[in-house]
């Protein structure tokens, strides 16, 4: 199995991707967050750590993930080492003023065979400004460019392809004088509007006027029962919608839950938290109103110790066990399959 297809063992399962006709954003993720941050597992490192080696044993194969950190604890170099796998990856990052950075991720499908390269650049605020993907010969596969206004709000995104940088899509974002979103437009390669998202109401609505190739977005917030909630309804051009709800404690505004309902008012996703996005307790994905997949997290003294995943019949799919030293830093992770067999072990060493 290719490295980019390996399921990353993380402290949270991926959020459900709701099927939509269009997306409001050019969803190109920083390769560090996608391929390095949680590979092969997310864990915090002791202060002044210079090198971390994560030794993975998967059945009878071994692979090391090596992360080198600078004086600020940032990963500036990452690579894999193995005699059991020909494929491997490397990542380097050069940091500049503020949060500016240029990260280069390279995937090798063979010992010396480059498959592709991703170069990701950010500005002083840490927002992406350019992402370039090249093939093994250095030819441009894709380029994404982001532009911001003086308030740091995104105003334009372009996706280009090929050495001649043909335009594929372009997003334009519009705001009020208070920098609140008003409209998003998606253009095709010929400059024709493909889709619009209009932020045109701040209250709950059962239906809105339908406009072809348009999503209308309603947002509102306030106290509801024991919670403070933030709501977003997204109506499509047929009147159907998805309703997103964020629940917080009324006083501290700490996250309690995140929910998505479909146009039939049936749950699509429910995430529960112990007043912090870093501490999920349960994440449930639904199909036709019934639980299709469930992840359960357990903690001791604020540290995650167990994660279990279940299918629609509440049958165990996978169980992860996390072990820490006296200082509270993870030293070992064990991943068990549905038959409670230890199929993967990760030993974490700091230098």
């Amino acid at each position: 199995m290719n490295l980019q297809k390996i399921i990353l063992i993380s402290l949270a399962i991926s959020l459900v991707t709701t099927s939509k006709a269009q997306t409001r954003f050019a969803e190109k993720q920083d390769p560090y967050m996608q391929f390095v941050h949680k590979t092969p597992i997310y864990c915090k490192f002791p202060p002044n750590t210079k090198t971390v080696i994560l030794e993975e044993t998967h059945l009878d194969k071994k692979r090391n993930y090596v992360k080198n950190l600078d004086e600020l604890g940032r990963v500036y170099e990452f690579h894999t080492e193995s005699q059991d796998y020909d494929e491997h990856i490397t990542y380097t990052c050069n940091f500049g003023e503020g949060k500016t950075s240029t990260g280069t991720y390279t995937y090798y499908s063979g010992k010396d065979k480059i498959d592709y390269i991703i170069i990701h650049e950010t500005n002083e605020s840490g927002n992406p400004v350019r992402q370039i993907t090249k093939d093994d010969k250095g030819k441009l596969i894709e380029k994404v460019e982001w532009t911001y206004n003086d308030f740091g709000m995104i105003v334009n995104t372009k996706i280009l392809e090929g050495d001649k940088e043909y335009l594929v899509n372009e997003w334009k974002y519009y705001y009020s004088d208070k920098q609140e979103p008003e409209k998003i437009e998606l253009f095709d390669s010929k400059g024709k509007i493909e889709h619009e998202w209009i932020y045109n109401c701040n209250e709950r609505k059962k239906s809105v006027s339908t406009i072809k190739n348009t999503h209308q977005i309603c947002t509102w917030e306030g106290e509801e029962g024991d919670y403070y909630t933030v709501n977003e309804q997204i109506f499509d051009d047929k009147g159907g919608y998805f309703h997103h709800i964020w629940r917080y404690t009324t006083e501290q505004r700490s996250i309690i839950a995140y929910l998505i309902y479909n146009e039939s008012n049936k749950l699509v996703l429910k995430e529960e938290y112990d007043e912090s996005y870093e501490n999920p307790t349960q994440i449930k994905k639904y199909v036709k109103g019934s639980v299709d997949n469930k992840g359960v997290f357990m903690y001791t003294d604020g540290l995650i110790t167990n994660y279990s995943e279940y299918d629609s019949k509440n049958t165990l799919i996978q169980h992860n066990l996390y072990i820490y030293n006296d200082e509270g830093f993870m030293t070992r992770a064990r991943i068990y399959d549905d038959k409670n067999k230890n199929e993967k072990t990760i030993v974490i060493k700091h230098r």
Side-chain angles (χ1 to χ4, degrees), residues 30 32 70 72 74-75 91 93-103 120-130 148:
D30 181 348
Y32 172 78
D70 65 12
L72 297 179
R74 301 174 300 189
V75 176
Y91 172 83
C93 190
N94 295 317
F95 300 99
E97 295 293 329
K99 295 182 179 180
T100 58
S101 66
T102 300
H120 187 86
E121 301 176 28
T122 62
N123 61 19
E124 291 186 356
S125 299
N127 293 319
V129 292
R130 189 176 296 104
Y148 305 85

Side-chain angles (χ1 to χ4, degrees), residues 8 14 25 27 42 45-46 55-56 82 100 118 169 203 253 331-332 346:
L8 303 182
S14 300
F25 310 99
E27 297 176 315
Y42 171 74
F45 310 136
E55 301 176 346
E56 176 192 86
S82 177
T100 58
I118 302 175
N169 290 118
E203 59 183 5
R253 304 289 170 87
T331 58
R332 188 180 298 265
I346 301 167

Side-chain angles (χ1 to χ4, degrees), residues 5-67:
K5 295 181 181 178
I6 292 175
I7 298 176
L8 303 182
I9 306 160
S10 65
L11 300 188
I13 60 177
S14 300
L15 299 183
V16 66
T17 301
T18 305
S19 177
K20 300 177 185 175
Q22 301 286 347
T23 176
R24 280 178 282 169
F25 310 99
E27 297 176 315
K28 300 296 179 180
Q29 192 175 21
D30 181 348
Y32 172 78
M33 297 302 298
Q34 187 174 2
F35 299 114
V36 179
H37 181 57
K38 295 180 179 180
T39 304
I41 191 171
Y42 171 74
C43 57
K44 296 181 179 180
F45 310 136
N48 303 316
T49 297
K50 294 182 178 180
T51 300
V52 179
I53 302 175
L54 300 100
E55 301 176 346
E56 176 192 86
T57 302
H58 184 202
L59 300 178
D60 60 343
K61 292 186 176 182
K62 298 181 182 296
R63 174 160 43 205
N64 288 347
Y65 300 84
V66 181
K67 300 183 179 183

